[in-house]
Amino acid sequence: MKMNIPYGRQNIDQKDIDMVVKTLQSDFLTQGPVVKSFEDKFSEYVGCKYSIAVSNATAGLHLAVLALGLKPGDRVITTPITFAASANCIRYAGGEVWFADIDPDTYLLSFEETRKLIESKPKGFFKGIIPVDFAGLPVNLENFRKLALEHDLWIIEDACHAPGGYFADSNNIKQMSGNSNYADIGIFSFHPVKHIACGEGGMITTNNEDLYKKLLLLRTHGITKENMSENHGGWYYEMQELGFNYRLTDIQSSLGITQLAKNATGVAKRNTIAKRYRQAFENKIKFQSLPQNRYNAHHLFVIESDNRKELYDYLRENGIYAQIHYIPIHTLPYYRKIGYKEADLKNSENYYSRCLSLPMYPTLTDEEQDFVISKVLDFINE
Ligand SMILES: *Cc1c(COP(=O)(O)O)cnc(C)c1O
């Protein structure tokens, strides 16, 4: 039997389909009531005050840096081991991307390396930090917030991998990814490879009312009917800022609502799968470590191998489509062209030469996972 096991897969059921059909039969395909309903449910789920649905997470990151006032030449720190959009948003606003290395065990932006980088420069040199909950493992944002307070920096938590994940802070309070208690803004993606599939889609979360208002304005052309300087009549609106059309539709939001409703179950299943991988690989294969007091939402399950390319090819021959997350951003041709060099970020480059993401999604069956595990173990025992 030929297997066909991808590394990730969306989970669409009849409830999702019914909800979308209901919206298609309603008066609004976009800019109707479902968007706000999705936003409210999302706020409740992650525990933040405000959620702003956007067309995708990249648009969300773009609006986030603009709302925080990023100007051309401003410097922002992020990790090289993330999807390119985490850094590209800084470039959209004309800012400079500075990379700090990752921790070799959690694969997250290293707090120590970030601190060293910040302290090696005069105060005011950097404007913000974009930590990423890589693979679904939440960053300890309490530490980053202390650092940010000392150096007057903002924080955007790229939580695209981590809806449903959390870390426990020093008071042992669970801090859900993207709740914005320690970050200024959180960002989520609803691309089908992520936990919640909307086709395309994203969410910005914040607890700050001023940021919320700015984000709403920027999402829809900078146009508003509120707080206007003059009012000429019912038709009148003002374009107060140069904004965008980064809206999510009601069609997508209706899918988001039913997808969100089963996210907690999906994350629990992902953790069951992760536990089985860990048990099978313990003391044989290195995998992403799980620090105490954190709940990994497991967008990915990442292992390391000395012969990564051979393992990748071997799994493919067996119908297992593992993936590599990610090529370090500073080595991508665009970033090379604007002056970034290899060999600056040793842990990230070493990680990239060894990493492999194994199949991880709620509908992965035990039989399929056992097949994946047996093939990985066959390979290392060869
Ligand atoms: C997927 C992803 C994004 C971008 O999400 P889109 O919705 O596709 O724009 C940003 N950051 C990270 C870490 C991601 O994984």
Side-chain angles (χ1 to χ4, degrees), residues 191-236:
H191 185 281
V193 299
K194 311 291 165 66
H195 292 61
I196 296 165
C198 288
E200 295 279 355
M203 196 69 85
I204 311 174
T205 55
T206 187
N207 291 325
N208 179 315
E209 193 181 355
D210 290 339
L211 286 175
Y212 174 62
K213 287 182 177 158
K214 271 191 209 166
L215 290 162
L216 282 182
L217 198 61
L218 288 170
R219 175 178 68 176
T220 187
H221 309 281
I223 287 176
T224 183
K225 286 195 154 203
E226 279 167 38
N227 307 318
M228 292 186 292
S229 50
E230 288 180 75
N231 192 345
H232 299 271
W235 69 89
Y236 191 70

Side-chain angles (χ1 to χ4, degrees), residues 94-157:
E96 266 181 36
V97 184
W98 285 63
F99 295 106
D101 213 348
I102 60 165
D103 177 280
D105 299 317
T106 63
Y107 314 147
L108 301 178
L109 177 65
S110 158
F111 176 74
E112 279 310 311
E113 292 299 320
T114 306
R115 191 176 57 75
K116 271 195 237 161
L117 179 58
I118 291 169
E119 289 177 355
S120 72
K121 302 291 177 189
K123 208 167 168 163
F125 191 85
F126 295 107
K127 288 286 188 278
I129 315 174
I130 307 182
V132 179
D133 299 324
F134 176 74
L137 182 62
V139 170
N140 183 337
L141 288 171
E142 189 179 20
N143 292 345
F144 278 96
R145 174 47 71 192
K146 279 187 209 137
L147 185 67
L149 278 173
E150 281 166 31
H151 296 272
D152 209 6
L153 306 170
W154 47 252
I155 299 175
I156 298 172
E157 177 188 11

Side-chain angles (χ1 to χ4, degrees), residues 15 19 45 81 120 206 237 240 275 285 316 331 379:
K15 263 196 192 155
M19 183 77 178
Y45 182 66
I81 300 300
S120 72
T206 187
Y237 60 80
Q240 296 173 341
K275 198 169 164 198
I285 293 174
R316 277 185 98 81
T331 69
F379 179 85

Side-chain angles (χ1 to χ4, degrees), residues 46-110:
V46 305
C48 67
K49 275 203 189 135
Y50 308 105
S51 292
I52 303 102
V54 285
S55 45
N56 54 68
T58 305
L61 284 161
H62 186 193
L63 295 190
V65 297
L66 292 178
L68 288 163
L70 192 73
K71 303 222 164 29
D74 285 352
R75 303 176 192 92
V76 177
I77 299 171
T78 191
T79 165
I81 300 300
T82 179
F83 184 59
S86 312
N88 291 350
C89 62
I90 303 163
R91 301 293 304 142
Y92 295 158
E96 266 181 36
V97 184
W98 285 63
F99 295 106
D101 213 348
I102 60 165
D103 177 280
D105 299 317
T106 63
Y107 314 147
L108 301 178
L109 177 65
S110 158

Side-chain angles (χ1 to χ4, degrees), residues 150-177:
E150 281 166 31
H151 296 272
D152 209 6
L153 306 170
W154 47 252
I155 299 175
I156 298 172
E157 177 188 11
D158 184 337
C160 285
H161 294 186
Y166 60 77
F167 74 97
D169 68 13
S170 53
N171 294 317
N172 209 24
I173 296 171
K174 278 185 195 172
Q175 301 290 345
M176 289 281 281
S177 289

